[in-house]
Coordinates of all heavy atoms in Angstrom, one line a residue:
T116 N 1.2 -139.6 -220.8 CA 2.3 -138.9 -221.5 C 3.6 -139.0 -220.6 O 3.6 -138.4 -219.5 CB 2.0 -137.4 -221.8 OG1 0.8 -137.4 -222.5 CG2 3.1 -136.8 -222.6
Y117 N 4.6 -139.7 -221.1 CA 5.8 -139.9 -220.3 C 6.8 -138.7 -220.7 O 6.9 -138.4 -221.9 CB 6.5 -141.2 -220.6 CG 5.8 -142.4 -220.0 CD1 4.6 -142.3 -219.4 CD2 6.5 -143.7 -220.0 CE1 4.0 -143.5 -218.8 CE2 5.9 -144.8 -219.5 CZ 4.6 -144.7 -218.9 OH 4.1 -145.8 -218.3
A118 N 7.5 -138.2 -219.7 CA 8.4 -137.1 -219.9 C 9.5 -137.6 -220.8 O 10.0 -136.9 -221.7 CB 8.9 -136.6 -218.6
T119 N 10.0 -138.9 -220.7 CA 11.0 -139.4 -221.5 C 10.6 -140.7 -222.1 O 9.6 -141.3 -221.7 CB 12.3 -139.7 -220.6 OG1 11.9 -140.6 -219.6 CG2 12.9 -138.4 -220.0
H120 N 11.3 -141.1 -223.1 CA 10.8 -142.3 -223.9 C 10.9 -143.6 -223.0 O 12.0 -143.8 -222.4 CB 11.6 -142.5 -225.2 CG 10.9 -143.3 -226.2 ND1 10.6 -144.6 -226.1 CD2 10.4 -142.9 -227.4 CE1 10.0 -145.0 -227.2 NE2 9.8 -144.0 -228.0
P121 N 9.9 -144.4 -223.0 CA 10.0 -145.6 -222.2 C 10.9 -146.7 -222.7 O 11.3 -147.6 -222.0 CB 8.5 -146.2 -222.2 CG 7.9 -145.6 -223.4 CD 8.6 -144.3 -223.6
F122 N 11.4 -146.5 -223.9 CA 12.4 -147.5 -224.4 C 13.8 -147.0 -224.0 O 14.6 -146.6 -224.9 CB 12.2 -147.6 -226.0 CG 11.0 -148.2 -226.4 CD1 10.6 -148.2 -227.8 CD2 10.1 -148.9 -225.5 CE1 9.4 -148.8 -228.2 CE2 8.9 -149.4 -226.0 CZ 8.6 -149.4 -227.3
D123 N 14.0 -147.1 -222.7 CA 15.3 -146.7 -222.2 C 16.0 -147.8 -221.4 O 16.8 -147.5 -220.5 CB 15.2 -145.4 -221.4 CG 14.2 -145.6 -220.2 OD1 13.6 -146.7 -220.1 OD2 14.0 -144.6 -219.5
V124 N 15.6 -149.0 -221.6 CA 16.1 -150.2 -220.8 C 17.4 -150.6 -221.4 O 17.4 -151.0 -222.6 CB 15.0 -151.3 -220.8 CG1 15.6 -152.5 -220.0 CG2 13.7 -150.9 -220.3
V125 N 18.5 -150.6 -220.7 CA 19.8 -150.9 -221.2 C 20.1 -152.4 -221.0 O 21.1 -152.9 -221.6 CB 20.9 -150.0 -220.5 CG1 20.7 -148.6 -220.9 CG2 20.9 -150.2 -219.0
G126 N 19.3 -153.1 -220.3 CA 19.5 -154.5 -220.1 C 18.5 -155.1 -219.2 O 17.8 -154.4 -218.5
W127 N 18.3 -156.4 -219.3 CA 17.3 -157.0 -218.5 C 17.6 -158.5 -218.3 O 18.4 -159.1 -219.0 CB 15.9 -156.9 -219.1 CG 15.7 -157.3 -220.5 CD1 15.8 -156.6 -221.6 CD2 15.4 -158.7 -220.9 NE1 15.6 -157.3 -222.7 CE2 15.4 -158.6 -222.3 CE3 15.1 -159.9 -220.3 CZ2 15.1 -159.7 -223.1 CZ3 14.9 -161.0 -221.1 CH2 14.8 -160.9 -222.5
D128 N 17.0 -159.1 -217.3 CA 17.3 -160.5 -217.0 C 15.9 -161.1 -216.5 O 15.1 -160.3 -216.1 CB 18.3 -160.6 -215.9 CG 19.0 -162.0 -215.9 OD1 18.6 -162.8 -216.8 OD2 19.9 -162.2 -215.1
G129 N 15.8 -162.4 -216.5 CA 14.6 -163.0 -216.0 C 14.0 -163.9 -217.0 O 14.5 -164.2 -218.1
C130 N 12.8 -164.4 -216.6 CA 12.1 -165.5 -217.4 C 10.9 -164.9 -218.1 O 10.1 -165.7 -218.7 CB 11.8 -166.6 -216.5 SG 10.7 -166.2 -215.1
L131 N 10.6 -163.6 -218.0 CA 9.4 -163.1 -218.7 C 9.8 -162.1 -219.8 O 10.5 -161.1 -219.5 CB 8.5 -162.4 -217.6 CG 7.2 -161.9 -218.2 CD1 6.2 -163.0 -218.3 CD2 6.6 -160.8 -217.3
Y132 N 9.6 -162.4 -221.0 CA 10.0 -161.6 -222.1 C 9.2 -162.0 -223.3 O 8.6 -163.1 -223.4 CB 11.5 -161.7 -222.4 CG 12.0 -163.1 -222.5 CD1 11.9 -163.9 -223.6 CD2 12.5 -163.8 -221.3 CE1 12.3 -165.2 -223.7 CE2 12.9 -165.1 -221.4 CZ 12.8 -165.8 -222.5 OH 13.3 -167.1 -222.6
P133 N 9.1 -161.1 -224.3 CA 8.3 -161.4 -225.5 C 9.2 -162.4 -226.4 O 10.4 -162.4 -226.3 CB 8.1 -160.1 -226.2 CG 9.3 -159.2 -225.7 CD 9.6 -159.7 -224.4
Y134 N 8.5 -163.2 -227.2 CA 9.2 -164.1 -228.1 C 8.3 -164.4 -229.3 O 7.1 -164.2 -229.3 CB 9.6 -165.3 -227.4 CG 8.5 -166.2 -226.8 CD1 7.9 -167.2 -227.6 CD2 8.1 -166.0 -225.5 CE1 6.9 -168.0 -227.0 CE2 7.1 -166.8 -225.0 CZ 6.5 -167.8 -225.7 OH 5.5 -168.5 -225.2
T135 N 8.9 -164.9 -230.3 CA 8.2 -165.4 -231.5 C 8.3 -166.9 -231.6 O 9.3 -167.5 -231.2 CB 8.6 -164.8 -232.8 OG1 10.0 -165.1 -233.1 CG2 8.5 -163.3 -232.8
F136 N 7.3 -167.5 -232.1 CA 7.3 -169.0 -232.5 C 6.6 -169.1 -233.8 O 5.5 -168.6 -234.0 CB 6.6 -169.8 -231.4 CG 6.3 -171.2 -231.8 CD1 7.3 -172.1 -232.0 CD2 5.0 -171.6 -232.1 CE1 7.1 -173.4 -232.5 CE2 4.7 -172.9 -232.5 CZ 5.8 -173.8 -232.7
N137 N 7.3 -169.7 -234.8 CA 6.7 -169.8 -236.1 C 5.9 -171.1 -236.2 O 6.3 -172.2 -235.8 CB 7.7 -169.8 -237.2 CG 7.1 -169.5 -238.5 OD1 6.6 -170.4 -239.2 ND2 7.1 -168.2 -238.9
I138 N 4.7 -171.0 -236.8 CA 3.8 -172.1 -236.9 C 4.4 -173.3 -237.8 O 4.1 -174.4 -237.6 CB 2.4 -171.6 -237.5 CG1 1.3 -172.7 -237.3 CG2 2.5 -171.3 -239.0 CD1 -0.1 -172.2 -237.5
E139 N 5.3 -172.9 -238.6 CA 6.0 -174.0 -239.4 C 6.9 -174.9 -238.5 O 7.3 -176.0 -238.9 CB 6.9 -173.3 -240.5 CG 6.1 -172.8 -241.7 CD 7.1 -172.2 -242.7 OE1 8.3 -172.3 -242.6 OE2 6.5 -171.6 -243.6
D140 N 7.2 -174.4 -237.3 CA 8.1 -175.2 -236.4 C 7.3 -176.1 -235.5 O 7.8 -176.7 -234.6 CB 9.0 -174.3 -235.6 CG 10.0 -173.6 -236.5 OD1 10.4 -174.2 -237.5 OD2 10.4 -172.4 -236.2

Side-chain angles (χ1 to χ4, degrees):
T116 303
Y117 286 10
T119 57
H120 204 291
F122 294 168
D123 58 359
V124 179
V125 296
W127 52 269
D128 203 358
C130 58
L131 187 77
Y132 47 85
Y134 60 89
T135 63
F136 167 66
N137 197 280
I138 196 167
E139 284 180 8
D140 292 328

